[in-house]
Amino acid sequence: MTFIAVGVNYNTAPVAVRERLVFPTDILASSLQQLSKVQDIHEAAILSTCNRTEFYCNAATANQDILIDWIAANKDIEPASLMPYLYSYTDRSVCRHMFRVACGLDSMILGEPQILGQMKTAYQAAYDAGTLGKQLGRLFQHTFTAAKKVRTDTAIGSSPVSVAFAAVQLAQQIFDKLSEQTALLIGAGETIELTARHLTQQGIKRIIIANRTYDKAHALAMRFNGYAIELAELPAHLAEADIVISSTASQLPILGKGGVESALKKRKHKPMFMVDLAVPRDIETEVGKLDDVYLYTIDDLQHIINQNMDSRRLAAEQAEDIIDTQVNDFLAWLNAQSAQTTIQEYRFQAEQHRDEALQKALALLKNGVPAEVALNRLAHSLTNKLIHTPSAQIREAAENERYDLVTAARDIFKLPPTQ
């Protein structure tokens, strides 16, 4: 049995290729069951995200072509047109790759945590579909253990590396409890959506989303239990905001010094934390000169992000060392499993010898032979039976100059070194 893996990701394939290889949730179970029935494939799991699709299998051979052919047939793609975008791994390389993926070391954003949850989803889907066995299932479990150790023992995920996350973390430094604050988010694009998600995860009390198109603001606000307004309504709601984060495509400033001054008066000069993530700027520069306003631009956050990326790269070096150790640990377990059958058969043989010798000893006792004599014969007979075959094999190995087997035998039986 051997592990094989094949995949595409954001580095090897454009979106047009990646989207053709996506496995939505509604077809994942049936696809896994089909894959597990392919000749020589015994266990299977599929990881499918916007940035990567990967197939992990335990197979009878290391022939990745059987897996590639199935992928091409399943997605109605010529194998030759797919090959330039694929990467593949076997055995140790599969383990190492899965560990690195789960730790975020292979992600577009170094150390991002979402991929671990996606790996767990892939595991659960394969488990529910009945396509996981002992070995691939154990590999996934060890993958989760490795990822947890990396995140516990390094700083790989402790520093923000997106402007949205950096903005929210900065807000947490300004305010003791986000659970008591109201956030006003201006815009309805990807950055604002990500900011809303981070704020919600940190327990923000209330979110207001303002956008030029009300329907977009409303759709986004509904996802985060927020309140939607149009940009024209900003003056009426600005004073409610403890946190203002803006990211629009406007060519002109949306918030000016006068409007913010009015809001501060209504707030009785309670401080406001403001982050302008837009280029060109959404918030006039002069706003930053007002008392009780903490204004940061995307450049301020980019400096934080650059420092944090350096920190993550250092942590990634430490993570690689941890992964090396974890790979060795898993392979040691796997190797031990391959010896289990041999151990069981050897134990069964020894127990047969024991039972035969014991029956003879009991027969002697029943016939009146003294117990001491019966026990001596039992010990002598059992010893001879246990050492006969190994002794004969060692002798034959020496006669055939297989000194490697003789040395191995000394290691197995823990005999002292030869003089």
mmCIF file of all heavy atoms in Angstrom, residues 200-223:
data_model
loop_
_atom_site.group_PDB
_atom_site.id
_atom_site.type_symbol
_atom_site.label_atom_id
_atom_site.label_comp_id
_atom_site.label_asym_id
_atom_site.label_seq_id
_atom_site.Cartn_x
_atom_site.Cartn_y
_atom_site.Cartn_z
ATOM 1 N N THR A 200 -17.238 40.587 13.685
ATOM 2 C CA THR A 200 -18.247 39.682 14.253
ATOM 3 C C THR A 200 -17.593 38.595 15.094
ATOM 4 O O THR A 200 -18.063 38.267 16.190
ATOM 5 C CB THR A 200 -19.086 39.055 13.128
ATOM 6 O OG1 THR A 200 -19.726 40.095 12.379
ATOM 7 C CG2 THR A 200 -20.149 38.120 13.698
ATOM 8 N N GLN A 201 -16.492 38.043 14.585
ATOM 9 C CA GLN A 201 -15.778 36.999 15.326
ATOM 10 C C GLN A 201 -15.228 37.525 16.648
ATOM 11 O O GLN A 201 -15.092 36.764 17.609
ATOM 12 C CB GLN A 201 -14.643 36.444 14.465
ATOM 13 C CG GLN A 201 -15.126 35.604 13.279
ATOM 14 C CD GLN A 201 -14.018 35.232 12.325
ATOM 15 O OE1 GLN A 201 -12.897 35.780 12.396
ATOM 16 N NE2 GLN A 201 -14.288 34.308 11.425
ATOM 17 N N GLN A 202 -14.917 38.825 16.683
ATOM 18 C CA GLN A 202 -14.381 39.426 17.917
ATOM 19 C C GLN A 202 -15.483 39.992 18.812
ATOM 20 O O GLN A 202 -15.197 40.659 19.804
ATOM 21 C CB GLN A 202 -13.358 40.518 17.572
ATOM 22 C CG GLN A 202 -12.147 40.021 16.796
ATOM 23 C CD GLN A 202 -11.443 38.873 17.501
ATOM 24 O OE1 GLN A 202 -11.266 38.901 18.727
ATOM 25 N NE2 GLN A 202 -11.038 37.865 16.741
ATOM 26 N N GLY A 203 -16.740 39.738 18.443
ATOM 27 C CA GLY A 203 -17.844 40.092 19.335
ATOM 28 C C GLY A 203 -18.302 41.531 19.285
ATOM 29 O O GLY A 203 -18.801 42.053 20.297
ATOM 30 N N ILE A 204 -18.160 42.203 18.138
ATOM 31 C CA ILE A 204 -18.596 43.602 18.036
ATOM 32 C C ILE A 204 -20.078 43.723 18.407
ATOM 33 O O ILE A 204 -20.888 42.844 18.082
ATOM 34 C CB ILE A 204 -18.353 44.143 16.596
ATOM 35 C CG1 ILE A 204 -18.525 45.665 16.537
ATOM 36 C CG2 ILE A 204 -19.267 43.455 15.601
ATOM 37 C CD1 ILE A 204 -17.374 46.410 17.169
ATOM 38 N N LYS A 205 -20.437 44.805 19.080
ATOM 39 C CA LYS A 205 -21.817 44.972 19.549
ATOM 40 C C LYS A 205 -22.779 45.215 18.387
ATOM 41 O O LYS A 205 -23.852 44.602 18.313
ATOM 42 C CB LYS A 205 -21.877 46.145 20.530
ATOM 43 C CG LYS A 205 -23.274 46.445 21.052
ATOM 44 C CD LYS A 205 -23.249 47.652 21.988
ATOM 45 C CE LYS A 205 -24.642 47.984 22.501
ATOM 46 N NZ LYS A 205 -24.613 49.184 23.388
ATOM 47 N N ARG A 206 -22.385 46.101 17.452
ATOM 48 C CA ARG A 206 -23.311 46.505 16.387
ATOM 49 C C ARG A 206 -22.527 46.900 15.150
ATOM 50 O O ARG A 206 -21.444 47.502 15.255
ATOM 51 C CB ARG A 206 -24.157 47.684 16.880
ATOM 52 C CG ARG A 206 -25.225 48.165 15.913
ATOM 53 C CD ARG A 206 -26.124 49.197 16.596
ATOM 54 N NE ARG A 206 -27.104 49.751 15.684
ATOM 55 C CZ ARG A 206 -27.198 51.059 15.401
ATOM 56 N NH1 ARG A 206 -26.395 51.936 15.983
ATOM 57 N NH2 ARG A 206 -28.124 51.497 14.565
ATOM 58 N N ILE A 207 -23.051 46.560 13.974
ATOM 59 C CA ILE A 207 -22.425 46.930 12.710
ATOM 60 C C ILE A 207 -23.430 47.712 11.860
ATOM 61 O O ILE A 207 -24.580 47.288 11.689
ATOM 62 C CB ILE A 207 -21.961 45.689 11.917
ATOM 63 C CG1 ILE A 207 -20.782 45.019 12.636
ATOM 64 C CG2 ILE A 207 -21.558 46.058 10.495
ATOM 65 C CD1 ILE A 207 -20.290 43.759 11.943
ATOM 66 N N ILE A 208 -22.971 48.846 11.337
ATOM 67 C CA ILE A 208 -23.733 49.628 10.360
ATOM 68 C C ILE A 208 -22.944 49.587 9.058
ATOM 69 O O ILE A 208 -21.732 49.839 9.056
ATOM 70 C CB ILE A 208 -23.925 51.089 10.809
ATOM 71 C CG1 ILE A 208 -24.622 51.159 12.174
ATOM 72 C CG2 ILE A 208 -24.705 51.877 9.766
ATOM 73 C CD1 ILE A 208 -24.639 52.565 12.772
ATOM 74 N N ILE A 209 -23.608 49.268 7.952
ATOM 75 C CA ILE A 209 -22.922 49.223 6.659
ATOM 76 C C ILE A 209 -23.537 50.265 5.743
ATOM 77 O O ILE A 209 -24.757 50.259 5.495
ATOM 78 C CB ILE A 209 -23.007 47.827 6.026
ATOM 79 C CG1 ILE A 209 -22.268 46.814 6.915
ATOM 80 C CG2 ILE A 209 -22.410 47.841 4.610
ATOM 81 C CD1 ILE A 209 -22.283 45.394 6.403
ATOM 82 N N ALA A 210 -22.692 51.179 5.263
ATOM 83 C CA ALA A 210 -23.136 52.248 4.372
ATOM 84 C C ALA A 210 -22.559 52.012 2.982
ATOM 85 O O ALA A 210 -21.376 51.726 2.846
ATOM 86 C CB ALA A 210 -22.685 53.602 4.912
ATOM 87 N N ASN A 211 -23.397 52.164 1.965
ATOM 88 C CA ASN A 211 -22.928 51.969 0.596
ATOM 89 C C ASN A 211 -23.764 52.825 -0.348
ATOM 90 O O ASN A 211 -24.911 53.155 -0.053
ATOM 91 C CB ASN A 211 -23.037 50.495 0.204
ATOM 92 C CG ASN A 211 -22.314 50.202 -1.107
ATOM 93 O OD1 ASN A 211 -21.128 50.510 -1.243
ATOM 94 N ND2 ASN A 211 -23.011 49.620 -2.066
ATOM 95 N N ARG A 212 -23.156 53.162 -1.488
ATOM 96 C CA ARG A 212 -23.874 53.966 -2.467
ATOM 97 C C ARG A 212 -25.134 53.235 -2.966
ATOM 98 O O ARG A 212 -26.178 53.827 -3.180
ATOM 99 C CB ARG A 212 -22.939 54.293 -3.643
ATOM 100 C CG ARG A 212 -23.435 55.436 -4.523
ATOM 101 C CD ARG A 212 -22.409 55.787 -5.577
ATOM 102 N NE ARG A 212 -21.119 56.091 -4.991
ATOM 103 C CZ ARG A 212 -20.775 57.259 -4.449
ATOM 104 N NH1 ARG A 212 -21.664 58.233 -4.401
ATOM 105 N NH2 ARG A 212 -19.577 57.445 -3.954
ATOM 106 N N THR A 213 -24.983 51.887 -3.126
ATOM 107 C CA THR A 213 -26.133 51.058 -3.510
ATOM 108 C C THR A 213 -26.693 50.396 -2.258
ATOM 109 O O THR A 213 -26.051 49.534 -1.657
ATOM 110 C CB THR A 213 -25.708 49.973 -4.517
ATOM 111 O OG1 THR A 213 -25.074 50.601 -5.627
ATOM 112 C CG2 THR A 213 -26.910 49.184 -5.001
ATOM 113 N N TYR A 214 -27.898 50.787 -1.880
ATOM 114 C CA TYR A 214 -28.478 50.297 -0.627
ATOM 115 C C TYR A 214 -28.655 48.783 -0.631
ATOM 116 O O TYR A 214 -28.418 48.126 0.377
ATOM 117 C CB TYR A 214 -29.835 50.963 -0.379
ATOM 118 C CG TYR A 214 -30.556 50.403 0.832
ATOM 119 C CD1 TYR A 214 -30.206 50.805 2.125
ATOM 120 C CD2 TYR A 214 -31.555 49.435 0.681
ATOM 121 C CE1 TYR A 214 -30.840 50.275 3.236
ATOM 122 C CE2 TYR A 214 -32.191 48.894 1.792
ATOM 123 C CZ TYR A 214 -31.834 49.319 3.061
ATOM 124 O OH TYR A 214 -32.449 48.781 4.151
ATOM 125 N N ASP A 215 -29.064 48.208 -1.769
ATOM 126 C CA ASP A 215 -29.325 46.769 -1.824
ATOM 127 C C ASP A 215 -28.077 45.965 -1.472
ATOM 128 O O ASP A 215 -28.153 44.940 -0.781
ATOM 129 C CB ASP A 215 -29.831 46.371 -3.211
ATOM 130 C CG ASP A 215 -31.262 46.833 -3.454
ATOM 131 O OD1 ASP A 215 -31.926 47.199 -2.460
ATOM 132 O OD2 ASP A 215 -31.698 46.838 -4.619
ATOM 133 N N LYS A 216 -26.925 46.408 -1.943
ATOM 134 C CA LYS A 216 -25.667 45.713 -1.630
ATOM 135 C C LYS A 216 -25.356 45.829 -0.140
ATOM 136 O O LYS A 216 -24.923 44.861 0.492
ATOM 137 C CB LYS A 216 -24.517 46.285 -2.451
ATOM 138 C CG LYS A 216 -24.541 45.890 -3.915
ATOM 139 C CD LYS A 216 -23.288 46.382 -4.636
ATOM 140 C CE LYS A 216 -23.279 45.938 -6.088
ATOM 141 N NZ LYS A 216 -22.059 46.418 -6.796
ATOM 142 N N ALA A 217 -25.566 47.019 0.406
ATOM 143 C CA ALA A 217 -25.337 47.217 1.839
ATOM 144 C C ALA A 217 -26.270 46.335 2.659
ATOM 145 O O ALA A 217 -25.857 45.719 3.653
ATOM 146 C CB ALA A 217 -25.541 48.686 2.203
ATOM 147 N N HIS A 218 -27.513 46.268 2.229
ATOM 148 C CA HIS A 218 -28.515 45.479 2.968
ATOM 149 C C HIS A 218 -28.172 43.982 2.918
ATOM 150 O O HIS A 218 -28.248 43.285 3.940
ATOM 151 C CB HIS A 218 -29.900 45.719 2.377
ATOM 152 C CG HIS A 218 -30.980 44.937 3.041
ATOM 153 N ND1 HIS A 218 -31.404 45.211 4.325
ATOM 154 C CD2 HIS A 218 -31.713 43.872 2.617
ATOM 155 C CE1 HIS A 218 -32.354 44.359 4.665
ATOM 156 N NE2 HIS A 218 -32.552 43.526 3.644
ATOM 157 N N ALA A 219 -27.779 43.503 1.732
ATOM 158 C CA ALA A 219 -27.440 42.082 1.594
ATOM 159 C C ALA A 219 -26.269 41.707 2.493
ATOM 160 O O ALA A 219 -26.267 40.642 3.129
ATOM 161 C CB ALA A 219 -27.101 41.772 0.133
ATOM 162 N N LEU A 220 -25.263 42.587 2.571
ATOM 163 C CA LEU A 220 -24.095 42.309 3.411
ATOM 164 C C LEU A 220 -24.456 42.430 4.891
ATOM 165 O O LEU A 220 -24.043 41.602 5.714
ATOM 166 C CB LEU A 220 -22.958 43.276 3.055
ATOM 167 C CG LEU A 220 -21.604 43.016 3.707
ATOM 168 C CD1 LEU A 220 -21.094 41.612 3.393
ATOM 169 C CD2 LEU A 220 -20.588 44.065 3.247
ATOM 170 N N ALA A 221 -25.234 43.452 5.223
ATOM 171 C CA ALA A 221 -25.618 43.666 6.625
ATOM 172 C C ALA A 221 -26.425 42.486 7.163
ATOM 173 O O ALA A 221 -26.269 42.088 8.329
ATOM 174 C CB ALA A 221 -26.420 44.960 6.755
ATOM 175 N N MET A 222 -27.270 41.906 6.347
ATOM 176 C CA MET A 222 -28.082 40.764 6.768
ATOM 177 C C MET A 222 -27.216 39.585 7.194
ATOM 178 O O MET A 222 -27.583 38.831 8.106
ATOM 179 C CB MET A 222 -29.005 40.338 5.630
ATOM 180 C CG MET A 222 -30.145 41.308 5.353
ATOM 181 S SD MET A 222 -31.393 41.313 6.665
ATOM 182 C CE MET A 222 -32.151 39.717 6.384
ATOM 183 N N ARG A 223 -26.080 39.428 6.573
ATOM 184 C CA ARG A 223 -25.197 38.291 6.888
ATOM 185 C C ARG A 223 -24.547 38.441 8.249
ATOM 186 O O ARG A 223 -24.115 37.452 8.850
ATOM 187 C CB ARG A 223 -24.122 38.158 5.806
ATOM 188 C CG ARG A 223 -24.681 37.741 4.458
ATOM 189 C CD ARG A 223 -23.626 37.775 3.383
ATOM 190 N NE ARG A 223 -22.478 36.959 3.731
ATOM 191 C CZ ARG A 223 -21.358 36.915 3.033
ATOM 192 N NH1 ARG A 223 -21.235 37.660 1.946
ATOM 193 N NH2 ARG A 223 -20.358 36.151 3.411
#
